[in-house]
């Protein structure tokens, strides 16, 4: 009568594991202290972008990458399973129009105008692949502090994709909504769902278009109605329009998160936010229940199988203390530095001591216990909680979460206990 | 094991949670108020950020008053920053410093409003339904003329209790009914009693006053502290200091469970004990069910019911136990409404300057309800039910009314 | 070469130099002040932020205590806008000798400090985070002083009286003819151009660098830089300055400075005042020490670490006579004419931020005498620009302003409440400012996220406004990130480690700064 599977963490990894488990017939409860990286992340699914040289075929280059980084989480997942995971995701996220080819990276502009490799993107970003060059009108919105079109365009114009094709970029700034001097993202994204406001934006852009064949805008084209907003804007402008990710908060990330939450709910699963796992009860090498803090007391939530997807140091799944002590917070699982140096380096853009931190796991993604065996036979780890990756540099964040979350669910097994 | 701390330490713990804020903006994306008005700069800004500028002597900020206290921000924050709790405290400081306007004092004392209305209830209800008089109310009291205001009854719940001969049983629970059951919706209390008795419990219903939550949310802390400690004493009538305390009001239940400790800094032996033992009615029933002790002699209820989990119930961090129970009822078509807030947030939405905001907050929920066209809307919180009915015209009930019906009640 | 004449050339734009400039200008002298970097970037911008009541020196150095007590009173009158009146507490922790407390009280009274013993219960009630095990508590007139505001006000005041001030002008040569110093050559650190200034008198106020500057004139000054480390904690743990009541040692003061609490400090001799490295060991020493005053201090979020160098002179140096008043022992005015036979050069060294006014008075007394002028010091009563209303600032100021008159333009730095308008205003005043200078002036990037959000906004806006070219904006962004890393790399634990992770995602993940063109 209880729960088949409890997943700790509501980020990409936890949600992927939960969705797979639920699809396989398990009753699933996701317990999470809060939301994960998704509402902040561009929602571009990176698989592998730099090793450290630019990667063009992410799936194809993973084996070569692993030669130099044998501790990397990709070691845990067969290429075929990574691909299956990506295919499954494309299907799942079809309502958001995700597209991409696991064997071919796309090069999409960032908010400062670098060309960044990524693999799968939502429809609202699809036209932004500049691998083959292009001519872009970058549109800034007056009063929106997290998008600076002139700098973006000037940098972008210097970008050189490997194809050698030319990227041309020009920027304009349009005023929306009279002259509001502070466009807060939460309000802006909703205002753009209003037809007259969108029409105004379309008119403004259209009147400033010259020879450009693409239009890049900050990623604020609506939340729940993004498909409609994006499509209508293209019609109004008469050119393909693509979103360029902003610093947090990320609207595309929120869309994807909402989509994943809803999909799980439709499968009968539950996401419980604000619920911090604080401990566990085990019987021998089987985990019986996790403890969770509620408003009044700590309660036990029993289940048959468990997935740990608490996200590592960024979300507090792993903590670092002043004396250098590292702790996995729920189970006290063994933490590894993943080969990172002990002392900080002076240069910021380098591998720093805590960068590759994560839970040490066996080949089955189970935390390593005292004698080298699995800590618990029914606990699997997925996502940023795993040691060995530097996803922001490698461009591998969501890819790792997807692949390891997908596999964790398979290992945990579908169906009812 | 996570130790629960009380008194000054509880607030110190909440306050120092501001250190954990990494400015990630997750809370900003989830706050329903910041999404609809420029007047409110958002949870990160008025919460952990503004707290760094507060000394405790003098409030430097005002806009925190637009926070509805719905608590969504605290739930979505991945860093366990107690944003809503910081805000509650800051709002209270603000009111303490500047004086709570009459409006706040009135809405904050449901008993007072109820009592004033009771002897002439029909007249009062008529008055509240009369637009001209409601307009006058807005002027003088600051209550928005369209705001959902409860109708008081002529017979209180305690009156009913006085005439109810409950069954005796070795399994007993204490029932904490809260003010709205007492003054406005005595039938809720009657049904709670019936459901618990149906499951073999003797229901102990001590005389009880307000938990102080409305006072707290309007910044009247000392009064609120007094109220909740008095209530805790009332809830341990002779020899009952180990019984579950069942609450059918989500916000009042949360007050006992956590807010009294964390936000008010209240502390007493009775309060500590009651707080640990407080259960939401459905939390309690679902535990019974998990132990195989819930009676499932349900009659079919051939209705479409849309369920909305209110913020204050979500803030108890117990999931949506009502869904778990209602799903067991045959014939019932249950639709989970997937929206975070109806806007009312206790008494927030009845205030003149906040009514519009509250209505906009609730819009997506109202639209979903209208699109769904259910026979009934179920929601555990009384003020949310009033808001939902006022905004959509739908009939709203407490989910336990549906359970009561499934058990054969009328 | 651009050349001009001036009465007094002040080398060094820290508190001392700025004080000398203000004092000289008020006495009607024409002043030119130069600094190799921006103002307040030496020790004065890297200090602890405490407006001393004198308590720290009461037992061991009564002279300094008396000076602090009286200078404290004067600054509160003339520079209120630069001071937060936090008050201070000296408390005997369980590890402190109670007998010292008696000596302390007596010495403080003798030094003319306003001091009052308060019951432990009262102290703990007023400061809920204070160690409840303290055994005695004394309330004193400590305050918190904002170096940027103070030095800006002094320089603005001096400029209002005709002074010329030049940041980024490094003295590369002191012009000496025979036994006389006649001026100096400065190199503009940004354009590379040189400037020659002829001066009636040169004041060496280069703090821990004053040995180097004196060396340019062929004089030897044995300044010994003493490095001190400080750690800022994310929020105020106390309203008042908390001091341990014992013989001064390391890490025994916590100062509420703006939105943060700063614990300090240490004292290690270093060879080079530009050595600002902070070792993990020093940081831990501070964090541990904080526990005694505020239990749980270790769990609080460390935000940033930095260090500054004290300009200490050997005890053998004695001040040039300052009339018939008692010669201060805490700072020293060296008249190189009398000392080394080199006329036209005066070095002022030692001292404290709190006593900057007195240091300037003593220095300029010597200067006017050497210039053969006669002018009374006016700084005791002359109110600094910005302090006319005599209101102290308080922590909530920015928040209150932002709330009562909400800026209708975007906030750039949310942590420290800096709007685009603020940014436009400062860059209009000083067009060629670097991002890091802007940070100091506005406190942009000094909040919990350490620039995670605002660095990009500032760079983008300055580029858009035409202040920065593309490449400049890119490198400003990179430098900003690098500079912030310097202050957090040794405190990467707890919440700050999480912050670092988010910042990595933003800078390297979302922007891909690593692959941005130069
Ligand atoms: C700013 C930003 C930008 C990013 N950009 C990209 C990008 O461009 N491309 C890309 O591929 N990836 C990107 N990512 C990474 C990506 O979004 C995810 O962070 C990553 O996939 C890791 O996901 P996760 O599910 O493992 O962990 P997280 O997303 O970190 O989720 C961890 C979850 O665990 C919960 N949790 C932690 N401790 C507990 C506990 N004790 N009990 C219960 N729950 C707990 C948290 O609340 C959270 O729900 C970005 C991330 C960020 C923050
Ligand atoms: C760790 C620490 C904590 C302290 N805390 C406090 C406190 O809390 N309260 C207090 O009252 N005092 C405190 N002090 C003392 C006080 O900070 C210093 O005494 C005071 O700031 C020194 O100011 P200054 O102007 O003499 O030196 P600085 O501020 O160092 O100024 C000297 C300037 O000279 C410039 N310069 C150097 N070489 C050249 C050149 N060749 N050409 C041009 N310019 C040059 C430098 O760039 C620098 O700006 C502290 C000191 C330290 C080290
Ligand atoms: S969600 Fe939490 S950590 Fe993020 S900005 Fe809000 S309060 Fe800060
Ligand atoms: S409590 Fe609700 S209204 Fe208040 S800041 Fe949090 S989410 Fe917004
Ligand atoms: S980037 Fe900062 S300075 Fe800016 S909002 Fe953040 S800590 Fe502040």
């Amino acid at each position: 009568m209880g729960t088949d599977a409890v997943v700790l963490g509501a980020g990409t990894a936890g949600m992927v594991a939960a969705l797979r488990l639920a699809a396989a017939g398990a009753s699933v409860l996701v317990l999470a202290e809060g939301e994960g990286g998704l509402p902040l992340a561009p929602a571009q699914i990176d698989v592998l972008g730099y090793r450290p040289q630019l990667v063009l075929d992410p799936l194809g280059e993973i084996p070569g990458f692993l030669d130099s980084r044998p501790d990397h989480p990709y070691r845990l997942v067969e290429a075929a399973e990574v691909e299956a995971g990506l295919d499954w995701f494309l299907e799942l996220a079809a309502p958001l129009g995700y597209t991409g080819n696991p064997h071919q990276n796309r090069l999409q502009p960032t908010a400062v105008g670098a060309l960044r490799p990524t693999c799968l993107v939502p429809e609202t970003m699809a036209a932004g692949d500049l691998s083959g060059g292009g001519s872009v009108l970058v549109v800034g919105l007056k009063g929106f502090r997290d998008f600076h079109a002139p700098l973006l365009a000037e940098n972008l114009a210097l970008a050189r994709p490997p194809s050698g094709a030319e990227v041309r970029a020009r920027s304009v700034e349009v005023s929306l909504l009279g002259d509001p001097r502070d466009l807060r993202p939460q309000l802006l994204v909703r205002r753009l769902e209003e037809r007259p406001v969108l029409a105004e934006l379309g008119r403004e852009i259209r009147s400033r278009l010259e020879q450009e064949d693409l239009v890049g805008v900050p990623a604020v084209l609506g939340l729940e109605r993004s498909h409609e907003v994006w499509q209508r804007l293209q019609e109004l402008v008469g050119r393909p329009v693509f979103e360029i990710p902003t610093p947090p908060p990320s609207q595309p990330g929120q869309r994807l998160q909402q989509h994943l939450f809803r999909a799980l709910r439709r499968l009968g699963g539950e996401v419980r936010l604000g619920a911090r796992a604080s401990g566990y009860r085990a019987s021998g090498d089987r985990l019986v229940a996790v403890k969770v803090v509620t408003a009044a007391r700590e309660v036990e939530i029993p289940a048959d199988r468990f997935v740990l997807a608490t996200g590592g140091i960024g979300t507090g799944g792993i903590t670092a203390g002043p004396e250098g002590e590292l702790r996995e917070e729920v189970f006290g699982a063994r933490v590894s530095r993943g080969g990172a140096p002990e002392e900080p380096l002076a240069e910021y853009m380098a591998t720093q001591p805590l960068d590759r931190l994560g839970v040490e796991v066996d080949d089955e993604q189970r935390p390593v216990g005292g004698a080298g065996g699995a800590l618990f036979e029914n606990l699997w780890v997925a996502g940023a909680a795993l040691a060995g990756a530097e996803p922001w540099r490698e461009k591998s964040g969501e890819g790792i979460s997807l692949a390891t979350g997908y596999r964790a669910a398979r290992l945990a097994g579908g169906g009812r206990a | 094991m996570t130790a629960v701390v009380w008194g000054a330490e509880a607030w110190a713990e909440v306050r120092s949670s501001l250190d954990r804020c990494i400015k990630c903006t997750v809370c900003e994306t989830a706050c329903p108020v910041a999404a609809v008005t420029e007047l409110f700069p958002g949870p990160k800004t008025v919460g952990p950020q503004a707290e760094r500028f507060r000394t405790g002597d003098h409030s430097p900020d005002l806009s925190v008053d637009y926070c509805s206290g719905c608590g969504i921000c605290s739930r979505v924050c991945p860093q366990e920053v107690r944003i809503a709790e910081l805000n509650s405290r800051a709002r209270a400081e603000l009111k303490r410093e500047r004086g709570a306007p009459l409006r706040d004092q009135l809405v904050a004392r449901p008993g007072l409003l109820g009592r004033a209305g009771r002897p002439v209830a029909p007249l009062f209800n008529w008055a509240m339904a009369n637009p001209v008089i409601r307009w006058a109310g807005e002027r003088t009291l600051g209550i928005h003329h369209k705001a959902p205001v409860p109708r008081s009854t002529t017979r209180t719940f305690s009156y009913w209790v006085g005439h109810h001969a409950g069954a005796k049983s070795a399994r007993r629970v204490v029932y904490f009914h809260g003010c709205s059951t007492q003054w406005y919706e005595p039938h809720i209390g009657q049904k709670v009693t019936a459901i618990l008795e149906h499951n073999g419990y003797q229901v102990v219903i001590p005389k009880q006053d307000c938990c102080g939550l409305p006072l707290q949310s309007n910044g009247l802390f000392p009064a609120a502290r007094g109220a909740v400690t008095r209530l805790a004493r009332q809830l341990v009538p002779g020899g009952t200091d180990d019984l579950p305390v069942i609450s059918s009001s989500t916000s009042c239940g949360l007050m006992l469970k956590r807010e009294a400790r964390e936000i008010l800094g209240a502390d007493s032996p009775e309060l500590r004990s009651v707080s640990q033992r407080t259960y939401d009615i459905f939390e309690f029933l679902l535990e019974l069910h998990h132990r195989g002790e819930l009676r499932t002699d349900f009659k079919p209820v051939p209705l479409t019911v849309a369920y909305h989990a209110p913020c204050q119930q979500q803030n108890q961090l117990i999931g949506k136990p009502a869904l778990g129970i209602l799903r067991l009822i045959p014939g019932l078509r249950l639709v989970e409404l997937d929206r975070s807030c109806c806007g009312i947030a206790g008494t927030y939405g009845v205030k003149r300057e906040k009514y519009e905001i509250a209505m906009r907050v609730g819009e997506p929920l109202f639209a979903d309800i209208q699109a769904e066209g259910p026979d009934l809307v179920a929601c555990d919180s009384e003020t949310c039910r009033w808001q939902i009915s006022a905004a959509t015209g739908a009939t709203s009930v407490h989910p336990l009314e549906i359970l009561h019906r499934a058990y054969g009640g009328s | 070469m651009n050349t001009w004449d001036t009465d007094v050339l002040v080398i060094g734009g820290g508190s001392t130099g700025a004080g000398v400039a203000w004092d000289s200008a008020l006495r009607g002298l024409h002043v030119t002040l130069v600094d190799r970097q921006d103002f307040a970037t030496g020790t004065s911008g890297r200090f602890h932020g405490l407006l001393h009541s004198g308590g720290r020196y009461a037992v061991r150095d009564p002279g300094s205590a008396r000076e602090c007590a009286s200078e404290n009173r004067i600054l509160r009158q003339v520079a209120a806008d630069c001071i937060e009146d936090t008050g201070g507490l000296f408390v005997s922790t369980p590890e402190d000798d109670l007998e010292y407390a008696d000596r302390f009280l007596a010495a403080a009274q003798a030094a003319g400090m306003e001091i009052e013993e308060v019951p432990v219960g009262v102290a703990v009630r007023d400061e809920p985070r204070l160690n409840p095990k303290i055994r005695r508590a004394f309330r004193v007139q400590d305050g918190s002083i904002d170096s940027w505001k103070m030095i800006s006000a002094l320089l603005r005041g001096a400029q209002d009286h005709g002074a010329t001030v030049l940041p980024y002008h490094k003295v590369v040569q002191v012009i000496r003819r025979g036994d006389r110093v006649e001026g100096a050559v400065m190199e503009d650190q940004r354009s590379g151009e040189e400037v020659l200034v002829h001066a009636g008198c040169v004041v060496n106020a280069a703090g821990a660098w004053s040995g180097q500057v004196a060396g340019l004139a062929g004089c030897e000054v044995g300044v010994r830089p003493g490095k001190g480390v400080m750690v800022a904690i994310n929020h105020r743990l106390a309203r008042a300055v908390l001091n341990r009541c014992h013989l001064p040692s390391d890490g025994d003061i916590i100062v509420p400075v703006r939105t943060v609490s700063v614990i300090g400090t240490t004292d290690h001799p270093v060879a080079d005042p530009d050595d600002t490295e902070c070792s993990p060991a020093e940081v831990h020493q501070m964090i541990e020490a904080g526990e005694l005053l505020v239990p749980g201090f270790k769990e609080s979020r460390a935000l940033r670490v930095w260090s500054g160098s004290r300009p200490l002179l050997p005890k053998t140096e004695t001040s040039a006579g300052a009339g018939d008043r008692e010669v201060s022992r805490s700072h020293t005015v060296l008249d190189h004419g009398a000392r080394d036979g080199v006329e036209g050069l005066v070095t002022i060294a030692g001292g404290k931020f709190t006593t900057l006014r007195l240091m300037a008075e003593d220095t300029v007394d010597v200067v006017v005498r050497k210039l053969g002028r006669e002018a009374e010091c006016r700084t005791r009563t002359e109110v600094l620009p910005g302090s006319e209303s005599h209101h102290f600032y308080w922590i909530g100021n920015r928040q209150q302003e932002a709330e009562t008159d909400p800026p209708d333009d975007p906030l750039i730095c949310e942590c420290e409440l800096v709007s685009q308008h603020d940014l436009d205003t400062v860059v209009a005043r000083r067009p060629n400012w670097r991002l890091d200078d802007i940070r100091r002036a506005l406190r942009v990037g000094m909040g919990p996220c350490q620039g995670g959000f605002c660095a990009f906004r500032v760079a983008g806006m300055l580029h858009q406004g035409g202040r920065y070219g593309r490449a400049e904006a890119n490198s400003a962004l990179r430098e900003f990130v690098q500079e912030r890393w310097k202050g957090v790399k040794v405190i990467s634990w707890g919440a700050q480690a999480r912050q670092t992770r988010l910042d990595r995602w933003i800078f390297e993940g979302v922007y891909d700064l690593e692959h941005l063109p130069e």
Side-chain angles (χ1 to χ4, degrees), chain C residues 247-436:
Chain C
L247 265 180
S249 73
D250 290 348
D252 51 2
I253 312 180
I254 301 174
V255 187
V257 179
R258 294 282 186 178
T259 45
V260 302
S261 307
V262 182
I263 185 155
T265 172
T266 52
D267 193 354
H268 295 300
V270 286
D272 179 3
D274 285 312
D275 167 6
T276 54
E277 269 309 301
C278 306
S279 73
E282 289 168 310
V283 172
H284 282 114
Q285 186 193 353
M286 289 302 100
I287 302 286
E288 289 292 339
E291 283 289 317
L292 259 186
L293 285 166
V294 174
F297 190 88
K298 253 202 282 193
E299 274 79 60
S300 302
R301 175 175 180 178
L303 205 55
R304 192 171 169 79
V305 174
W306 70 92
S307 72
S309 270
R310 288 176 194 81
L312 298 176
L313 274 184
K315 291 260 181 286
T316 49
E317 295 280 10
T318 49
S319 254
D324 47 12
R325 215 159 23 78
E326 187 197 343
V327 172
S328 168
R329 268 177 291 155
S330 62
H331 59 260
T332 311
V333 184
L334 300 177
D335 174 355
H336 293 280
R339 181 179 179 265
D340 308 308
V342 180
E343 276 304 334
L345 178 67
V346 173
T347 293
I348 164 74
K352 303 168 199 26
F353 201 110
T354 306
T355 57
L356 73 93
R357 195 212 59 82
L358 181 64
M359 292 164 73
E361 178 177 351
D362 288 350
T363 307
V364 183
D365 280 351
V366 173
V367 170
V368 288
R369 207 177 55 214
K370 297 186 91 51
L371 291 175
R373 306 263 193 111
E374 221 162 284
E376 283 292 309
C377 174
R378 287 167 50 196
T379 56
R380 266 170 201 279
T381 49
E382 198 71 30
V383 173
L384 280 165
S387 292
E388 296 82 359
S389 68
H390 296 281
H391 288 315
F392 297 120
Y393 75 75
W394 65 295
I395 181 180
N397 268 144
R398 276 194 183 179
Q399 177 81 0
Q400 191 168 43
E401 278 163 24
E403 288 269 335
T404 44
D405 185 12
D408 49 6
D409 51 338
L411 266 189
I412 303 169
C413 171
E414 298 156 69
C415 311
E416 296 291 330
L417 304 172
V418 181
S419 71
Q420 182 167 9
H421 175 78
D422 298 329
L423 176 69
D424 292 344
T425 312
V426 300
V427 292
R429 219 167 25 188
R430 301 266 304 272
N432 46 9
W433 257 2
R434 299 180 180 180
L435 207 50
D436 205 46

Side-chain angles (χ1 to χ4, degrees), chain B residues 8 12 15-25 28 41 44-46 48-64 78-80 98, chain C residues 84 129 233-237 239 258-260 299-301 303 394-401 403-404 411 414-417 446-449 453 495 498-499 502:
Chain B
R15 179 163 200 270
S16 58
S17 80
L18 81 90
D19 272 357
R20 292 196 292 263
C21 175
I22 60 169
K23 314 275 151 180
C24 71
T25 73
E28 309 264 309
K44 167 174 94 171
T45 310
V46 303
Q49 223 151 262
E51 188 64 27
R52 297 176 73 232
F53 292 90
R54 297 185 187 123
T55 48
D57 306 323
H58 179 43
S59 305
D61 55 333
L62 301 165
S63 54
V64 67
Q79 310 294 347
E80 253 198 308
R98 291 163 210 245
Chain C
E84 182 173 356
R129 296 281 315 257
I233 299 294
N234 184 46
H235 74 276
R236 286 199 177 186
L237 300 169
R239 299 179 200 183
R258 294 282 186 178
T259 45
V260 302
E299 274 79 60
S300 302
R301 175 175 180 178
L303 205 55
W394 65 295
I395 181 180
N397 268 144
R398 276 194 183 179
Q399 177 81 0
Q400 191 168 43
E401 278 163 24
E403 288 269 335
T404 44
L411 266 189
E414 298 156 69
C415 311
E416 296 291 330
L417 304 172
M446 313 250 270
C449 71
F453 288 84
R498 300 184 191 190
Q499 185 74 62
L502 177 64

Side-chain angles (χ1 to χ4, degrees), chain B residues 147-227:
Chain B
V149 173
R151 290 157 171 261
S152 58
T153 70
T154 44
R155 292 262 161 95
T156 64
F157 180 58
S158 355
Y159 176 85
W160 177 83
V161 172
H163 293 77
H164 173 68
K168 291 265 176 272
S169 166
R171 297 157 75 202
R172 297 192 303 162
V173 292
V174 173
Y175 178 35
F176 161 46
H177 52 68
C179 295
S180 77
T181 294
Q182 168 72 346
W183 301 105
Y184 305 113
E185 303 180 327
H187 64 282
I188 298 283
Q190 294 162 20
K191 288 171 183 167
V192 168
T193 312
I195 289 169
L196 290 166
E197 288 178 349
H198 184 70
N199 278 287
Y201 281 89
Q202 179 184 338
V203 185
V204 181
I205 311 175
K207 181 197 166 301
Q208 50 191 271
D209 296 307
C210 181
C211 69
L213 177 67
L215 293 165
Q216 171 200 292
S217 53
N218 286 289
L220 308 165
F221 271 31
R225 229 174 267 136

Side-chain angles (χ1 to χ4, degrees), chain C residues 82 124 134 165 170 179 284 316 327 363 382 452 465 479 483 516:
Chain C
C82 313
V124 173
I134 59 163
V165 303
K170 179 177 182 174
D179 57 4
H284 282 114
T316 49
V327 172
T363 307
E382 198 71 30
E479 273 169 32
E483 144 67 28
L516 191 64

Side-chain angles (χ1 to χ4, degrees), chain B residues 228-279:
Chain B
V228 76
T229 36
R230 181 177 61 234
L231 173 68
R233 270 199 312 277
Q234 293 169 331
L235 291 180
V236 284
T240 65
D241 59 358
D242 58 352
L243 301 183
V245 175
I246 309 295
S247 162
S248 56
S249 163
T250 53
S251 47
C252 309
L254 185 62
M255 179 65 163
L256 282 184
K257 283 180 165 192
R258 191 177 68 192
E259 310 240 306
R261 163 167 56 91
E262 283 194 340
I263 296 181
L264 290 180
D267 190 6
S268 74
E270 295 91 351
L271 184 57
R272 287 185 183 213
S273 156
V274 166
S275 173
Q276 275 282 311
R277 293 185 275 120
T278 300
Y279 291 80

Side-chain angles (χ1 to χ4, degrees), chain A residues 110-312:
Chain A
T110 72
V112 289
L115 266 195
R116 180 186 187 288
T118 186
C119 193
L120 312 181
V121 298
E123 61 183 5
T124 57
M125 297 182 188
D129 178 11
L130 299 178
S131 305
S135 162
V136 187
L137 179 69
V138 181
V139 180
L141 301 174
K142 195 165 172 5
F144 180 45
R145 65 190 175 184
D146 283 328
F147 197 79
H148 304 283
L151 182 59
L152 198 171
E154 283 183 40
N155 277 323
L156 192 57
L158 295 178
R160 279 286 157 270
S163 65
E166 196 187 355
V167 177
R168 272 170 297 143
R170 188 171 65 89
S171 69
V172 294
E173 190 175 65
V174 307
S175 300
L176 261 193
L177 306 164
D179 185 22
R181 300 220 263 146
D182 183 10
L183 293 179
R184 279 193 226 131
Q186 307 94 296
L187 291 167
L188 175 59
V189 69
R190 287 172 173 88
R191 290 302 303 274
L192 283 174
E193 292 185 342
E194 295 167 19
R195 282 206 148 217
V197 178
L198 187 64
E200 187 190 341
L201 177 63
R203 260 197 317 276
E204 287 281 334
I205 298 176
R206 191 172 188 125
S207 71
R208 288 162 152 87
L209 258 177
E210 287 171 10
Q211 302 306 314
E212 294 84 6
D213 36 52
L214 293 169
V215 173
V217 299
V220 292
L221 298 181
L223 262 178
E224 297 196 10
R225 304 228 290 273
S226 63
H227 172 75
E228 198 183 314
V229 173
W230 165 73
Q231 212 167 35
R232 175 109 188 94
L233 188 61
Q234 301 203 114
E235 283 162 20
L236 289 165
V237 170
R239 296 281 193 289
V241 171
F242 66 94
E243 288 187 313
I244 301 173
T246 63
S250 157
Q251 313 303 335
Q254 289 172 67
R255 292 171 206 148
L256 180 56
Q257 171 172 282
Q258 278 314 315
H259 183 67
L260 298 180
F261 282 11
R262 294 221 168 104
L264 184 66
R265 226 167 267 139
R266 270 197 303 272
L267 292 171
E270 181 189 342
V271 179
R272 195 175 298 171
L273 294 177
R276 180 170 63 86
S278 50
Y280 65 93
R281 185 159 59 82
S283 159
D285 53 7
R286 256 195 102 67
L287 199 54
V288 174
V290 287
K291 296 182 178 176
V292 166
V293 183
T294 74
R297 54 195 161 259
E298 200 172 59
V299 299
E300 280 192 359
I301 301 199
D304 185 50
R305 282 151 285 166
F306 299 83
V307 175
L308 176 73
T310 47

Side-chain angles (χ1 to χ4, degrees), chain A residues 8-15 31-38 40-47 116 118 248 273 275-278 309-312 314-317 329-330 382-385 395-399 401, chain B residues 76-78, chain C residues 502 505-506 509-510:
Chain A
L8 303 180
T12 308
M15 290 310 296
L31 297 170
E33 186 168 301
E35 293 178 357
L38 262 180
L40 316 175
Q44 298 176 328
I45 310 299
D46 299 345
V47 176
R116 180 186 187 288
T118 186
L273 294 177
R276 180 170 63 86
S278 50
T310 47
T315 31
E329 284 288 314
V330 186
K395 319 301 181 224
S396 63
E398 308 286 29
S401 294
Chain B
V76 298
C77 172
Chain C
L502 177 64
W505 266 118
I506 295 175
V510 177

